[in-house]
Amino acid sequence: MMKPVGRWVPFFFVLWATWETALSVTRYSIPEEMERGSVVANLAADLGLDVSGLAQREVKLDIFHNNKYLDINKRTGELFIVEKMDRESLCNTKTMTCFLKLDLIIESPLRIFNIELGITDINDNAPHFRRDKIELDVSESATPGERFSLPNAFDPDVGANTVKTYKLSESEHFTVDIHSGSDGTKYVDLVLMKALDREEKAVHNLILTAIDGGVPARSGTASIIVRVQDTNDNAPQFDQAVYSLNMSENSPAGTVVIKLNATDADEGPNADLTYSFTLYTSEKTQEMFWLNSKTGEIAVKGTIDYEDLKIFEMFLEAKDNGPVPLSGQCRVTVYVKDMNDNYPEITIKSLKNTVEENIPVGSVIALVGVSDRDTGDNGKVNLTMNKSLPFLLNQTSDYLYELLVSEPLDRELVPEYEIMLVVTDKGNPRLSDNETITVHLLDVNDNAPQFPQTFYTIPVMENNAPGALLSSLTAIDPDLHENQYLVYFIIEKEIVNTSMSMLFSINPENGNLYALKTFDYEIEKEFLFHIEARDSGVPPFSSNVTVHIIIMDQNDNTPLIVSPWRAHGSVVEEKIPRSTDKGTLIAKVIAIDSDSVHNSRITYQFLHNTDATLFSLDQYNGEIRTTRMFSYRDSRHQQLVVIAKDNGEPALSATVTIKLSTVETALKTYADMTEVPLGYDIFSDLNLYLVIGLGSVSFLLLITILVTIVLKCQKTKPSKAAPPCRNSVISERNSTIADSTLVSNDAYWYSLFLAETRKGKLVVRQPVPKGARYMVSSIPRSTGLTETSDSAASTLQVKQSTQ
């Protein structure tokens, strides 16, 4: 299809363009020297593109050699001329039309169109000769038909616009003979038509005109001066008129190409030959080869490159040394054989150096072009990666590849990739080159914080200072920047209507956990709650960990002596028969400690003993027994000071003082008591006191219970129950667990007791400290037990519960 394009130009310049699409290549053809702004074609219309979206899709025109001549109008989709194009400077070819290869690259989505633009020659250059003046010496003995080589004219144009013919000015002796070389170049020889007579005319001045085939035709001239020489009438002759041979490119300098041989029938100086390049031999060829003027040997002088020039034509002559030298010509054609001497090349046309780690699989990272100046298999290339990576090379054309993401990427595993692209040709030996692309991954918030442990057990010593640092709970987030910044907080949980945020505090920046109050082991044993770590990403991720706070006991409670009963700070007085046997139980000291099991382990020792030989003390159960019978020498009054010491560090202790008085009255000891019903007919003074005391205490007890019930009913809110503490069994004699209990909340009245008889058993009830509960069990009794011995012999089972 032909269509006029561009601006108006003189009628003899026809501006035209053609296009076609074959094998996904769109071709156009235009004449050279088109004016700036001339439209070549509408690519949007020819390629079926939406003109309205070209500007937003980042249209780019990629020309393999130079991008200064053409551009695309992103508003109309037209391909237009930016700068005049001279075919002779752009193309190193003798064909009528040379081609420029272009790629039209459209982003979002990526599309590539291959375009070839043909530049057609116009007749804008006139032929010209390398030398304006040509001098020839011609022997007068030259015979008609003898030929003399003339320099050919040069025209940069090609095809019909190059040199078409030669004309010689009017002459009766000379004419010109035109012949063509293998590449179509027109060569001209001066031919003698009529024998010369130097005496008639010694010099012939001729004008040689070279005319091209353009319309209109252009021409160039050179003057020929023919000087007629005398005698030497035999010209040298080569063995062949044309020599053809092959040689490899990159042959080393000095390599002999051929040795020419010419002969001359003359003798003497007229037969001495000198070899030389004629004017037909190009300067480029003369730079590549060296000619021995004496021997006719041709050798390599420069570097022969197949990619630079594939065929060399050398025009040589052998000239004799006669007074009028004669010469013979031949032509040597050297065909260069291609060798794999050019390394393939990699060109990064488009590259994304930085991408997010969650980039979709199949995304294009880079556009990579490859090329090789060699031909055939030597010019065929293949692009690969040097190692296995989560990327893929997709070939879109013979010399263009896409680098794609083939697998999901993870910055936490590999933060960046060094992708080495290796291009290799198919020559022998194979040549290769490489290019390294660095792709950096940007972080996205795809990892939740993680604690090193899923469960933390933190021991805390009781009586701690408020604000004390308990532990540092630090989570780890492998993300970066704001995705890595963590905030810590306690997940709210109420324990007995108390919020965890009132008991503990955590630093939101570093996870340091602090206590907000002083803990008491006897009230609170442990806490269980959760701590959450949350990052600052969008969306945020979080994780939590369970924290178990264990309150550790300190030895901060002094042992409390609950038996024998006594008023605060008073001395216990006991009476025992003087006839007491050896081993008789005199008294039993019972102490309790509200600390933990280890710290509450009580041992008993005598701090003072009037007669160390008379009494012994069991250090574990606190029983005081006689070690022998009383003698008349023993004092009637004995004083014992017993210390009860716990097992803490440092140890705490309490003491009780017992004053023993011996009486002659035969009283049964505690050891002689048995579970026999009390005889009501035996009514001693002691029993009378006990009955009176029993009545008084029962009345006081009833009043206390009524007052307590009234106070509890008046409370608006029930008291909070504290966690239960351990049970401590103080001591147990040869008796079973009691069948009745009495609970009292009086703080310090430990010596108040009640003795009564019930079915032959003695029931002892004692008050406990404020904040504690004790269950005092009954024990079997026998008749005749004194008040002192009843108190000493009581066995207590104690249950403490701190409120």
Side-chain angles (χ1 to χ4, degrees):
M1 180 181 70
M2 303 286 293
K3 59 179 180 179
V5 295
R7 302 173 180 172
W8 289 101
V9 295
F11 72 94
F12 48 83
F13 286 100
V14 180
L15 302 180
W16 52 277
T18 63
W19 66 274
E20 59 178 310
T21 302
L23 299 177
S24 73
V25 177
T26 304
R27 296 186 174 88
Y28 296 92
S29 179
I30 62 171
E32 66 175 329
E33 302 294 336
M34 287 183 67
E35 294 295 326
R36 296 180 181 178
S38 299
V39 176
V40 176
N42 192 315
L43 295 181
D46 295 341
L47 299 177
L49 302 176
D50 184 8
V51 177
S52 61
L54 289 180
Q56 289 79 15
R57 295 178 66 187
E58 299 182 7
V59 179
K60 182 170 64 176
L61 190 63
D62 187 7
I63 302 179
F64 286 98
H65 297 289
N66 201 320
N67 201 21
K68 70 178 182 178
Y69 297 102
L70 296 166
D71 202 352
I72 184 171
N73 189 326
K74 297 180 181 179
R75 291 183 290 103
T76 64
E78 294 177 335
L79 181 67
F80 64 94
I81 304 296
V82 177
E83 184 175 342
K84 282 185 178 182
M85 290 181 285
D86 184 10
R87 190 202 65 81
E88 287 75 21
S89 61
L90 283 175
C91 306
N92 184 18
T93 177
K94 293 184 179 181
T95 59
M96 187 67 181
T97 303
C98 70
F99 293 90
L100 291 181
K101 293 184 178 181
L102 306 88
D103 278 347
L104 180 63
I105 302 175
I106 303 177
E107 304 280 352
S108 304
L110 177 66
R111 296 186 65 187
I112 300 175
F113 298 91
N114 298 323
I115 301 171
E116 286 187 358
L117 180 62
I119 310 298
T120 305
D121 183 55
I122 64 174
N123 192 23
D124 58 341
N125 294 283
H128 68 276
F129 291 89
R130 292 189 180 91
R131 293 161 53 184
D132 296 331
K133 185 177 181 181
I134 305 171
E135 297 181 355
L136 295 176
D137 294 329
V138 181
S139 175
E140 65 175 336
S141 60
T143 59
E146 187 171 346
R147 309 170 71 89
F148 304 94
S149 297
L150 297 177
N152 64 312
F154 175 76
D155 192 337
D157 295 325
V158 296
N161 297 324
T162 191
V163 176
K164 187 72 174 179
T165 186
Y166 293 88
K167 289 184 180 181
L168 187 66
S169 61
E170 187 175 352
S171 173
E172 63 176 333
H173 293 280
F174 296 95
T175 186
V176 291
D177 183 26
I178 303 170
H179 55 93
S180 300
S182 61
D183 59 350
T185 303
K186 301 294 184 180
Y187 301 103
V188 61
D189 289 339
L190 185 65
V191 181
L192 181 64
M193 296 188 301
K194 183 180 178 182
L196 297 174
D197 188 357
R198 188 191 63 82
E199 288 75 18
E200 181 181 351
K201 190 175 184 179
V203 177
H204 296 261
N205 293 310
L206 306 173
I207 300 297
L208 180 63
T209 302
I211 304 171
D212 64 23
V215 179
R218 293 175 178 266
S219 62
T221 61
S223 64
I224 302 175
I225 301 175
V226 179
R227 292 187 293 265
V228 180
Q229 301 292 322
D230 199 20
T231 60
N232 189 23
D233 55 356
N234 290 290
Q237 296 291 324
F238 284 94
D239 295 341
Q240 297 175 220
V242 177
Y243 296 87
S244 297
L245 54 97
N246 298 320
M247 69 174 302
S248 300
E249 67 172 330
N250 300 322
S251 296
T255 301
V256 176
V257 178
I258 191 173
K259 184 176 182 180
L260 301 174
N261 182 43
T263 59
D264 195 319
D266 294 326
E267 293 182 349
N270 294 330
D272 292 337
L273 303 181
T274 300
Y275 298 90
S276 64
F277 292 110
T278 70
L279 297 176
Y280 299 150
T281 305
S282 66
E283 295 179 0
K284 177 70 173 177
T285 301
Q286 295 184 43
E287 291 175 357
M288 295 293 104
F289 298 95
W290 172 78
L291 173 63
N292 190 322
S293 61
K294 297 299 182 182
T295 63
E297 185 178 82
I298 300 176
V300 176
K301 180 172 67 173
T303 301
I304 299 176
D305 190 353
Y306 174 86
E307 289 71 35
D308 189 15
L309 198 59
K310 300 175 179 58
I311 301 175
F312 291 94
E313 280 191 327
M314 292 174 278
F315 297 88
L316 302 103
E317 68 176 6
K319 185 180 293 186
D320 61 26
N321 291 326
V324 180
L326 299 179
S327 63
Q329 292 85 27
C330 74
R331 183 177 66 188
V332 178
T333 303
V334 178
Y335 296 93
V336 180
K337 181 182 178 182
D338 183 37
M339 302 294 290
N340 191 26
D341 61 338
N342 289 282
Y343 284 86
E345 297 178 354
I346 298 177
T347 304
I348 306 299
K349 297 183 178 295
S350 176
L351 174 63
K352 296 179 181 177
N353 293 100
T354 304
V355 297
E356 292 186 341
E357 62 175 317
N358 63 346
I359 182 172
V361 174
S363 300
V364 178
I365 298 297
L367 290 177
V368 183
V370 293
S371 61
D372 194 318
R373 294 182 59 202
D374 292 322
T375 59
D377 289 341
N378 297 332
K380 295 179 180 179
V381 296
N382 184 36
L383 185 66
T384 59
M385 291 185 291
N386 69 325
K387 59 182 178 180
S388 178
L389 293 172
F391 299 95
L392 175 68
L393 286 170
N394 178 37
Q395 187 172 5
T396 59
S397 65
D398 291 341
Y399 299 99
L400 191 63
Y401 289 79
E402 292 177 334
L403 181 63
L404 308 175
V405 178
S406 62
E407 299 176 14
L409 306 179
D410 190 348
R411 187 207 62 80
E412 287 72 36
L413 297 178
V414 182
E416 69 177 23
Y417 289 92
E418 296 285 340
I419 307 172
M420 179 179 289
L421 303 177
V422 180
V423 60
T424 306
D425 62 25
K426 297 183 179 180
N428 186 19
R430 295 179 183 269
L431 299 178
S432 64
D433 194 10
N434 63 76
E435 182 78 20
T436 300
I437 296 176
T438 302
V439 177
H440 301 274
L441 300 186
L442 296 178
D443 182 58
V444 297
N445 192 28
D446 57 348
N447 291 280
Q450 294 294 329
F451 287 92
Q453 302 173 218
T454 58
F455 190 90
Y456 286 86
T457 300
I458 302 174
V460 178
M461 191 65 68
E462 68 171 329
N463 302 319
N464 58 289
L469 175 64
L470 304 183
S471 181
S472 181
L473 308 177
T474 304
I476 299 173
D477 193 322
D479 292 322
L480 293 178
H481 308 306
E482 66 274 2
N483 299 328
Q484 189 186 37
Y485 299 149
L486 303 183
V487 178
Y488 301 87
F489 56 90
I490 297 174
I491 299 177
E492 283 298 335
K493 177 182 178 183
E494 287 193 359
I495 298 180
V496 195
N497 297 327
T498 300
S499 173
M500 277 298 159
S501 60
M502 300 176 62
L503 302 177
F504 302 96
S505 170
I506 190 167
N507 189 317
E509 296 181 356
N510 56 27
N512 288 344
L513 183 64
Y514 300 91
L516 297 181
K517 61 168 287 186
T518 300
F519 297 108
D520 188 351
Y521 173 83
E522 287 71 39
I523 299 176
E524 299 143 328
K525 299 290 189 304
E526 61 183 10
F527 299 94
L528 193 67
F529 56 91
H530 299 281
I531 289 178
E532 182 174 306
R534 180 180 299 168
D535 61 31
S536 303
V538 178
F541 285 93
S542 64
S543 64
N544 58 64
V545 67
T546 302
V547 178
H548 185 202
I549 303 293
I550 299 176
I551 308 301
M552 305 298 292
D553 181 49
Q554 281 187 332
N555 191 29
D556 57 346
N557 290 282
T558 302
L560 182 64
I561 297 177
V562 297
S563 177
W565 177 89
R566 72 201 189 285
H568 183 66
S570 63
V571 177
V572 177
E573 295 184 356
E574 299 282 355
K575 294 181 180 181
I576 60 174
R578 196 169 181 82
S579 61
T580 300
D581 295 333
K582 175 182 177 182
T584 301
L585 178 62
I586 303 302
K588 184 170 184 177
V589 179
I590 300 174
I592 61 174
D593 194 316
S594 58
D595 288 322
S596 63
V597 175
H598 178 77
N599 292 327
S600 63
R601 192 173 300 151
I602 306 297
T603 57
Y604 304 91
Q605 295 177 354
F606 277 129
L607 194 61
H608 173 74
N609 188 354
T610 304
D611 189 345
T613 64
L614 188 58
F615 302 100
S616 66
L617 173 63
D618 191 306
Q619 63 175 344
Y620 298 110
N621 59 24
E623 292 182 351
I624 301 175
R625 296 179 180 271
T626 57
T627 57
R628 59 179 176 82
M629 295 283 291
F630 284 92
S631 66
Y632 66 94
R633 297 187 184 89
D634 295 326
S635 173
R636 293 179 58 86
H637 301 283
Q638 302 285 335
Q639 182 171 325
L640 306 176
V641 179
V642 178
I643 181 171
K645 185 184 299 183
D646 62 22
N647 197 39
E649 182 63 37
L652 301 178
S653 62
T655 61
V656 59
T657 301
I658 302 174
K659 289 185 177 181
L660 298 177
S661 300
T662 58
V663 295
E664 298 298 336
T665 307
L667 296 175
K668 288 189 177 182
T669 63
Y670 182 78
D672 297 331
M673 296 177 187
T674 59
E675 184 123 8
V676 179
L678 182 65
Y680 288 96
D681 55 341
I682 303 174
F683 193 76
S684 62
D685 294 339
L686 177 59
N687 290 338
L688 177 62
Y689 297 149
L690 289 176
V691 170
I692 295 173
L694 176 61
S696 301
V697 172
S698 297
F699 177 76
L700 292 175
L701 177 61
L702 179 61
I703 296 300
T704 301
I705 292 174
L706 292 176
V707 172
T708 302
I709 291 174
V710 172
L711 292 177
K712 285 186 176 291
C713 290
Q714 288 179 349
K715 290 184 179 179
T716 59
K717 187 177 181 180
S719 60
K720 299 177 183 179
C725 295
R726 64 193 180 278
N727 296 333
S728 176
V729 179
I730 306 298
S731 175
E732 187 173 352
R733 181 105 172 125
N734 298 328
S735 62
T736 59
I737 299 176
D739 59 357
S740 63
T741 59
L742 174 64
V743 177
S744 175
N745 289 327
D746 294 335
Y748 299 103
W749 296 92
Y750 295 104
S751 57
L752 179 62
F753 71 93
L754 173 64
E756 64 178 347
T757 57
R758 180 188 296 172
K759 297 181 180 180
K761 294 183 179 180
L762 177 65
V763 178
V764 179
R765 300 178 182 178
Q766 293 187 347
V768 296
K770 185 177 182 180
R773 295 177 180 177
Y774 299 92
M775 182 173 70
V776 184
S777 302
S778 65
I779 59 173
R781 66 179 297 275
S782 300
T783 58
L785 181 65
T786 64
E787 176 182 345
T788 302
S789 61
D790 284 346
S791 176
S794 63
T795 302
L796 305 177
Q797 181 179 0
V798 182
K799 293 183 179 179
Q800 179 182 4
S801 175
T802 307
Q803 295 180 344

